[in-house]
Amino acid sequence: MIADHAETVGSLLRPDWLLNDRKDLSAGIINEGRQARFKEIENRAVDEAIRLQETAGLAIVTDGEMRRLSFQGQMVEAVNGFGEYDIDAFLWGEWQGDRDVGHWNLERPHTLGVVNKLAPKRYLSVDEFTYLRDRTTRIPKITLPSPSLFANFWSEERSRNIYPTLDSFLADIVRILQSEVAELTRVGATYIQLDAPHYCQLLNPRTRTFYESRGWSMDRWLRKGIELDNAVIDHAPSVTFGFHL
């Protein structure tokens, strides 16, 4: 039985063997031969993610975001100009967990901040999509980050000489995502999800303070952020878009 109204919205948990090899890759331990092996490991993880969703009867499947450092990570990996970063670029802040997980606090990395004009090296997720497309008979869904998520990478100290304002920086982010959507559409994508969990953070006074420190009020975050999302969505009127909060 296929479930028409159920689908994976976020990332699937990555298996330990994939996490360990990615850690080796980040540490520079994997040489050219092992680089090819790592690609095979990623493929295996994606294949298992597809099988899991198909076995569950989902009509729409993703690749589980198995190839990504973070759900936002394909942007900084595919585009020059972001400067130094690691996983903490996406995880810093104050996080509240349940009794078992507990609370967690991580300072903003001091090197975080776009340092050069953004210059794409490759498409963000086209290869992810074509691999998924060729291995399922279900509807393949690819996910992309909401443009305003990357306000995190604009720094008053490090970025102003390149991008005088947050708006000018995010305008380039939108152009990159529009190009991505156009290519995804060309190779057959019919369903794209924009991930925008940061909108929910505006409800938390502490995280709202950070976002407003970027230069936009909460009302502007909602108005301008959605305007940027629509600029990406409107670039592909024939595609169905999902929105992940």
Side-chain angles (χ1 to χ4, degrees):
M1 180 177 177
I2 295 179
D4 291 333
H5 301 289
E7 63 191 83
T8 300
V9 174
S11 304
L12 295 177
L13 290 177
R14 296 163 182 80
D16 289 341
W17 40 266
L18 175 60
L19 291 173
N20 291 335
D21 267 55
R22 178 174 267 279
K23 188 180 299 182
D24 288 346
L25 181 66
S26 299
I29 297 173
I30 297 181
N31 57 28
E32 185 174 343
R34 290 196 68 193
Q35 180 81 40
R37 177 177 172 271
F38 179 69
K39 192 69 174 179
E40 293 175 359
I41 289 171
E42 282 187 326
N43 291 346
R44 173 187 162 198
V46 171
D47 292 345
E48 291 188 3
I50 294 170
R51 283 197 298 272
L52 175 66
Q53 294 167 90
E54 290 182 341
T55 301
L58 301 187
I60 298 165
V61 302
T62 75
D63 70 350
E65 300 179 348
M66 293 291 162
R67 304 185 194 276
R68 303 181 186 181
L69 179 66
S70 157
F71 75 93
Q72 311 167 54
Q74 77 275 41
M75 175 69 77
V76 296
E77 292 180 353
V79 178
N80 284 326
F82 283 97
E84 296 180 31
Y85 70 90
D86 59 17
I87 188 63
D88 290 344
F90 311 105
L91 297 181
W92 70 274
E94 186 173 321
W95 303 93
Q96 307 297 314
D98 61 20
R99 183 175 60 185
D100 294 330
V101 174
H103 303 330
W104 187 55
N105 186 54
L106 182 66
E107 292 295 320
R108 175 186 172 91
H110 71 278
T111 59
L112 188 60
V114 62
V115 295
N116 285 301
K117 192 77 171 174
L118 297 184
K121 298 178 288 186
R122 57 173 174 81
Y123 287 111
L124 279 65
S125 306
V126 171
D127 287 348
E128 292 179 351
F129 171 76
T130 55
Y131 186 91
L132 171 64
R133 177 201 66 192
D134 293 344
R135 284 159 179 81
T136 184
T137 58
R138 312 291 170 85
I139 298 172
K141 180 178 73 171
I142 195 70
T143 66
L144 295 173
S146 167
S148 53
L149 266 172
F150 292 93
N152 187 32
F153 278 85
W154 188 81
S155 164
E156 180 89 22
E157 299 77 23
R158 297 172 61 81
S159 308
R160 186 173 287 279
N161 289 340
I162 305 298
Y163 291 102
T165 63
L166 174 61
D167 299 57
S168 61
F169 167 56
L170 292 180
D172 267 2
I173 294 287
V174 167
R175 282 189 281 271
I176 290 168
L177 288 171
Q178 287 175 330
S179 175
E180 184 76 15
V181 164
E183 182 63 10
L184 283 167
T185 303
R186 189 190 70 80
V187 297
T190 60
Y191 190 7
I192 298 172
Q193 174 181 296
L194 287 187
D195 291 322
H198 58 305
Y199 288 128
C200 299
Q201 299 288 351
L202 293 170
L203 301 176
N204 184 317
R206 293 184 179 181
T207 49
R208 183 166 66 242
T209 297
F210 161 73
Y211 281 107
E212 291 188 322
S213 75
R214 304 291 85 190
W216 293 353
S217 67
M218 182 176 71
D219 287 344
R220 181 162 169 76
W221 268 111
L222 292 173
R223 186 174 64 256
K224 182 65 175 180
I226 292 170
E227 177 186 315
L228 298 178
D229 293 325
N230 284 334
V232 176
I233 292 169
D234 291 346
H235 210 65
S238 64
V239 170
T240 297
F241 278 86
F243 206 69
H244 174 202
L245 294 174

